[in-house]
Amino acid sequence: DQQVKQNSPSLSVQEGRISILNCDYTNSMFDYFLWYKKYPAEGPTFLISISSIKDKNEDGRFTVFLNKSAKHLSLHIVPSQPGDSAVYFCAAAVGTDKLIFGTGTRLQVFP
Amino acid sequence: DGGITQSPKYLFRKEGQNVTLSCEQNLNHDAMYWYRQDPGQGLRLIYYSQIVNDFQKGDIAEGYSVSREKKESFPLTVTSAQKNPTAFYLCASSPRTGNEKLFFGSGTQLSVL
């Protein structure tokens, strides 16, 4: 039972363009969402988060959008840079319960 | 520099052997976690600990054991009962249990000989 789904295993984007990574969830009780970025053979690093009381959170080139009615979360990266090439995981939690991670989307940014 | 240190980076296990993965943090975090990553799958929680001398099973605890004798250390033992141990193992910590953002170590790749 995959409560957090990232249906696109990979995404390829040209440098300078927008990257949009998507995440769907099934548990309407989730109230906190995070995105992590992971390079090969390294641990994930926190990127950005959003609480369910908001529908948008922005941090530099990264913006997360939350659509609660659709149970959908997206991460926008603009402009995309080659250094953004990595695997991106979304994660969700209910209150102080443990995080549930998606399966990840591999982003490749090409020149 | 504060952070989480995992060792070794690569580890090989023979059939029937127990192996222990080390995880040390100097962030003064109360909570520590072990995750497993397999290709095409998300991070799955093995065990977590909210406080010294206490730990709870995660979603895939079978074949694994942990201890939390010190706040800064949370070693994971992969026992011979774990039939499919080949994976990338990640240790993480957070100031307290909950939906705090996690700080991850750089991982240990375990392979079976």
Side-chain angles (χ1 to χ4, degrees):
Chain A
D1 179 25
Q2 191 75 27
Q3 295 187 67
V4 179
K5 303 176 186 179
Q6 294 177 257
N7 293 317
S8 297
S10 63
L11 176 67
S12 190
V13 173
Q14 189 173 29
E15 182 178 4
R17 301 280 190 137
I18 185 171
S19 295
I20 300 176
L21 294 95
N22 294 304
C23 181
D24 296 299
Y25 60 95
T26 57
N27 188 345
S28 58
M29 298 297 291
F30 284 143
D31 57 5
Y32 190 60
F33 304 86
L34 306 89
W35 283 94
Y36 282 83
K37 175 180 179 179
K38 183 183 180 301
Y39 293 116
E42 292 184 13
T45 55
F46 171 76
L47 196 55
I48 193 169
S49 64
I50 188 167
S51 161
S52 61
I53 63 173
K54 294 186 173 183
D55 54 20
K56 176 183 175 181
N57 189 25
E58 192 172 353
D59 183 2
R61 296 186 297 114
F62 302 91
T63 303
V64 56
F65 294 92
L66 176 61
N67 183 335
K68 290 185 286 295
S69 61
K71 296 192 183 67
H72 180 78
L73 184 71
S74 63
L75 174 68
H76 292 210
I77 306 173
V78 54
S80 300
Q81 300 174 354
D84 296 329
S85 297
V87 176
Y88 290 79
F89 291 97
C90 66
V94 178
T96 58
D97 205 355
K98 63 182 187 293
L99 286 174
I100 307 295
F101 284 86
T103 53
T105 296
R106 182 177 302 279
L107 173 65
Q108 182 180 7
V109 180
F110 60 93
Chain B
D1 278 335
I4 301 179
T5 302
Q6 288 187 242
S7 62
K9 196 162 182 67
Y10 301 96
L11 187 59
F12 297 92
R13 194 191 89 165
K14 295 179 181 178
E15 291 287 339
Q17 186 181 41
N18 292 351
V19 291
T20 297
L21 285 63
S22 170
C23 179
E24 303 276 333
Q25 55 101 356
N26 60 4
L27 299 167
N28 200 35
H29 286 171
D30 286 326
M32 295 187 75
Y33 309 78
W34 275 105
Y35 286 88
R36 168 178 171 145
Q37 184 190 9
D38 294 280
Q41 297 201 39
L43 305 179
R44 294 185 290 168
L45 183 64
I46 305 173
Y47 267 99
Y48 64 104
S49 168
Q50 298 170 286
I51 198 168
V52 174
N53 292 323
D54 186 51
F55 48 83
Q56 286 80 41
K57 292 182 179 180
D59 301 317
I60 54 166
E62 187 175 348
Y64 300 96
S65 65
V66 293
S67 63
R68 187 86 186 276
E69 296 177 2
K70 298 185 296 182
K71 185 176 184 177
E72 55 271 20
S73 179
F74 191 41
L76 173 74
T77 296
V78 184
T79 74
S80 57
Q82 172 49 245
K83 298 307 178 188
N84 185 23
T86 297
F88 190 59
Y89 290 86
L90 287 160
C91 179
S93 72
S94 65
R96 57 184 181 275
T97 308
N99 56 20
E100 296 276 333
K101 66 180 184 181
L102 301 178
F103 293 80
F104 284 88
S106 56
T108 294
Q109 175 64 49
L110 175 63
S111 302
V112 177
L113 290 176

